[in-house]
C-alpha cells in the first residue's frame, strides 16, 4: 500500500521522506493556502524532496483552462500528477492527459459510479473522500469496498487513493479492503507509529539493560 502525505508543508514532507514512510505527496488549493506560497515554487520544492508522485490540482472549471493549467503544472517535473475534479470537463481533461502520457488523479469522488467513470477516463488515481462522507453519516469505507470490487470486476488499472483520511482506523480499514494508496495528514501518519505498550516495553528493557552494566559499542 502506498502512503502519500497530504500537505504543502516542506518540513513535514522531509521528515516522512527521510524516514522512508511515504511514496509521494498530494496537495490541493486549501493546502496551498495553508502554507501561503506561490504554487509553482512550492511544487518545485516538493519535487526536489521526492521523486514519487506529487499531485497538483487545477482550479479552472472549463476544459481548455484545465488543459492549460494541467500542462503548466506537469511541466514542473516528470513526477507531477495532474489532479482534476470529478466533473464532465475534469473527466474529458483526464482522458486527454492520459492520452498524452501524463499521470492523473481524479479528485472529489463520492460515489462508486463516479469512480467507474474516472477509471473509464483512464485516471491513474481515483481519490474517494472517506472522511467527508463519514461527516454526513455515510460510511466512507463502504465506498472503498464498492470501488475495489468494481475495479477488480473489470481489471481497471486505476489506483484507489483513499483521501480525506482523518483517523488511523481509516488507514487500517483501507488496507484491509485492498486500497492501493492513502493520502494522509502528517500527524495522522506519525500517529500510526505510537503504541503505549511499545513505550512501556522500551522503558523496561532500558532499565534492565542499565543493570547489566554492558555497552554494545
Ligand atoms: O486531499 C484532499 C483530502 O484529503 C481532504 O481531506 O480532511 O479536508 O476532507 P479533508
Amino acid at each position: 500500500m502506498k502512503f502519500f502525505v497530504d500537505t504543502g508543508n516542506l518540513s513535514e514532507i522531509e521528515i516522512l521522506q527521510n524516514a522512508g514512510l511515504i511514496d509521494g505527496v498530494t496537495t490541493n488549493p486549501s493546502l496551498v493556502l495553508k502554507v501561503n506560497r506561490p504554487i509553482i515554487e512550492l511544487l518545485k520544492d516538493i519535487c526536489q524532496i521526492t521523486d514519487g508522485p506529487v499531485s497538483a490540482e487545477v482550479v479552472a472549471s472549463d476544459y481548455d483552462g484545465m488543459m492549460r493549467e494541467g500542462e503548466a503544472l506537469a511541466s514542473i517535473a516528470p513526477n507531477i500528477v495532474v489532479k482534476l475534479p470529478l466533473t464532465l470537463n475534469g473527466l474529458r481533461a483526464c482522458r486527454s492527459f492520459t492520452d498524452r502520457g501524463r499521470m492523473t488523479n481524479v479528485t472529489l469522488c463520492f460515489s462508486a459510479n463516479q469512480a467507474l467513470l474516472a477509471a473509464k477516463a483512464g485516471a491513474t488515481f481515483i481519490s474517494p473522500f472517506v472522511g467527508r462522507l463519514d461527516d454526513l453519516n455515510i460510511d466512507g469505507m463502504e465506498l472503498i469496498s464498492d470501488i475495489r470490487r468494481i475495479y477488480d470486476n473489470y481489471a481497471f488499472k486505476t489506483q484507489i487513493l483513499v483521501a480525506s483520511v482523518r483517523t488511523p482506523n481509516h488507514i487500517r480499514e483501507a488496507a484491509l479492503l485492498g486500497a492501493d494508496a492513502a493520502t494522509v495528514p502528517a500527524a495522522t501518519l506519525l500517529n500510526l507509529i505510537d503504541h503505549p505498550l511499545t513505550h512501556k516495553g522500551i522503558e523496561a528493557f532500558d532499565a534492565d539493560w542499565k543493570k547489566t552494566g554492558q555497552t554494545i559499542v
Side-chain angles (χ1 to χ4, degrees), residues 152-168:
D152 290 349
N153 281 348
Y154 298 98
F156 281 123
K157 294 276 174 282
T158 300
Q159 297 177 52
I160 304 171
L161 200 184
V162 181
S164 187
V165 164
R166 308 268 177 81
T167 66

Side-chain angles (χ1 to χ4, degrees), residues 6 26-28 31 83 107 129 131-132 135 163-166 183:
D6 201 22
T26 56
T27 63
N28 63 41
L31 294 170
K83 202 171 175 186
T107 190
F129 277 34
R132 292 191 194 183
D135 290 344
S164 187
V165 164
R166 308 268 177 81
T183 185

Side-chain angles (χ1 to χ4, degrees), residues 101-112:
R102 302 283 194 201
M103 288 188 288
T104 51
N105 177 352
V106 175
T107 190
L108 291 164
C109 168
F110 294 95
S111 79

Side-chain angles (χ1 to χ4, degrees), residues 2-9 11-13 15-16 21-22 24-28 31 34 129-132 161-171 181-193:
K2 290 174 191 153
F3 279 163
F4 298 144
V5 62
D6 201 22
T7 188
N9 181 312
S11 45
E12 288 182 347
I13 298 168
I15 290 167
L16 292 163
L21 289 177
I22 51 166
V25 176
T26 56
T27 63
N28 63 41
L31 294 170
K34 226 170 164 177
F129 277 34
V130 293
R132 292 191 194 183
L161 200 184
V162 181
S164 187
V165 164
R166 308 268 177 81
T167 66
N169 260 343
H170 276 151
I171 299 167
T183 185
V184 185
T188 311
L189 246 178
L190 290 169
N191 243 344
L192 303 186
I193 299 168

